[in-house]
Structures are given as C-alpha cells and as structure tokens.
Amino acid sequence: MATRFLRINDDFRDSLEETLDRNNCSGKVRPYYCGIPYEDKIILVPLRSRCPRSYSIPIYNTGGRARPGLDFCKMIIIDRSELSQNTSSVIVNGNIVDDLNRKQNQILAMVRQTVRDYKAMKQKVENNMDLSSDEKFLKMRSTLRNWENIIIYWYV
C-alpha cells in the first residue's frame, strides 16, 4: 500500500468539535495528512514539526524542522465516500514518502495503540479513576472525541 498525502478543506476542519489547531501558537494550520485505510474508513494523521514525544512517529527530516513526524493525537477519521469532497491530494518530498512507506506496519500499530489507549482513558474517566500522564495527555489533546461513536466498535 503506497502512502497517500492529503489536505483537508477549511469547511471540514472548521466543522470538527475538537479543533485540530487549538493551542497552536504559530497560527499555522496543519495542511498535510497521511491517509491510512483502516476498517471501512480513512484515518488522516497530520505531518507536523515539533511533534509530541508521545503518540507520534518521527519522519525523515528535510532540514530545518524540529522533531518532524506524524501526530497521532490529532487523527481525523473520515468515511471513504466523503474523502473526495473534504480533501485534495498533495505531493510531499520523496524522501518522506519512502520513509513512511517503510514504516507502514509501525504506523498501523500506532493507530491501534492510540485508539486503544484513548478507549482505556475514557473508561477510567467514566469510572472516576486516576489517569496516567499519557492518559492525561490524550484527554487534553486527542481529536478522537469527534469519533467516539465510531471507535467504540473497533476491536484494536
């Protein structure tokens, strides 16, 4: 499976309850996403600089970027049928494409881990249990709250 890169349109980004770029002091939006087929959906994972150390995978550095990577806290889940109306294809540096093609298994594993950890965190919150630092991190930053009605049925 070849890595696919997409840009989401402004209307779709603005329709999300949990904004992707809240607390982003640079004022820039995350324009590029790696599209990953999963179940009957497409998961969009943003490429960004200054990636958090948790729930991310480093990517090839084209120079001048601090900690470039895929940020799994800010995943977007979209129906395959809605992909063309909400996204457009983009071309990124070939070295990044090659790097992510080599990391396909690692990327899928991180998708599963992030969803699994998010679901466990939600269960702890519902049971009034203390959260670990990673769980607190997910609670504060994860966009998965937009898709809880979908991921609840995923076996990860």
Side-chain angles (χ1 to χ4, degrees):
M1 164 181 61
T3 304
R4 184 175 180 188
F5 296 94
L6 303 161
R7 176 190 311 258
I8 62 172
N9 67 34
D10 293 341
D11 290 337
F12 180 65
R13 184 187 62 243
D14 294 343
S15 74
L16 301 175
E17 181 181 326
E18 170 62 26
T19 63
L20 300 170
D21 298 296
R22 187 177 67 177
N23 301 326
N24 181 354
C25 57
S26 72
K28 296 179 182 176
V29 296
R30 299 179 205 333
Y32 302 132
Y33 293 82
C34 180
I36 303 159
Y38 191 80
E39 302 281 333
D40 60 338
K41 309 288 184 199
I42 300 292
I43 297 178
L44 303 176
V45 182
L47 281 75
R48 61 178 293 211
S49 297
R50 293 181 291 286
C51 252
R53 292 185 186 353
S54 297
Y55 301 104
S56 68
I57 293 177
I59 61 172
Y60 179 85
N61 194 340
T62 58
R65 303 275 186 205
R67 292 189 325 270
L70 294 174
D71 182 358
F72 290 83
C73 289
K74 300 296 182 179
M75 291 189 289
I76 296 173
I77 301 171
I78 189 168
D79 286 326
R80 291 174 190 259
S81 62
E82 297 173 347
L83 197 62
S84 63
Q85 71 190 40
N86 291 309
T87 67
S88 57
S89 293
V90 293
I91 297 172
V92 299
N93 181 294
N95 292 321
I96 294 172
V97 174
D98 292 343
D99 185 33
L100 293 179
N101 280 333
R102 284 189 298 272
K103 294 178 178 176
Q104 286 293 322
N105 291 336
Q106 185 181 0
I107 291 168
L108 280 174
M110 184 60 77
V111 166
R112 290 184 184 110
Q113 177 186 338
T114 305
V115 170
R116 186 174 40 250
D117 290 356
Y118 182 84
K119 289 168 69 173
M121 176 273 301
K122 288 298 289 183
Q123 189 67 47
K124 281 186 169 183
V125 168
E126 289 171 11
N127 293 332
N128 293 317
M129 298 172 70
D130 291 334
L131 301 177
S132 70
S133 59
D134 278 348
E135 291 165 334
K136 289 176 185 175
F137 182 79
L138 270 182
K139 184 179 182 203
M140 294 297 297
R141 293 194 73 245
S142 181
T143 54
L144 287 175
R145 71 188 72 185
N146 291 306
W147 297 282
E148 287 177 355
N149 60 333
I150 294 171
I151 66 172
I152 194 77
Y153 300 108
W154 286 0
Y155 177 76
V156 287

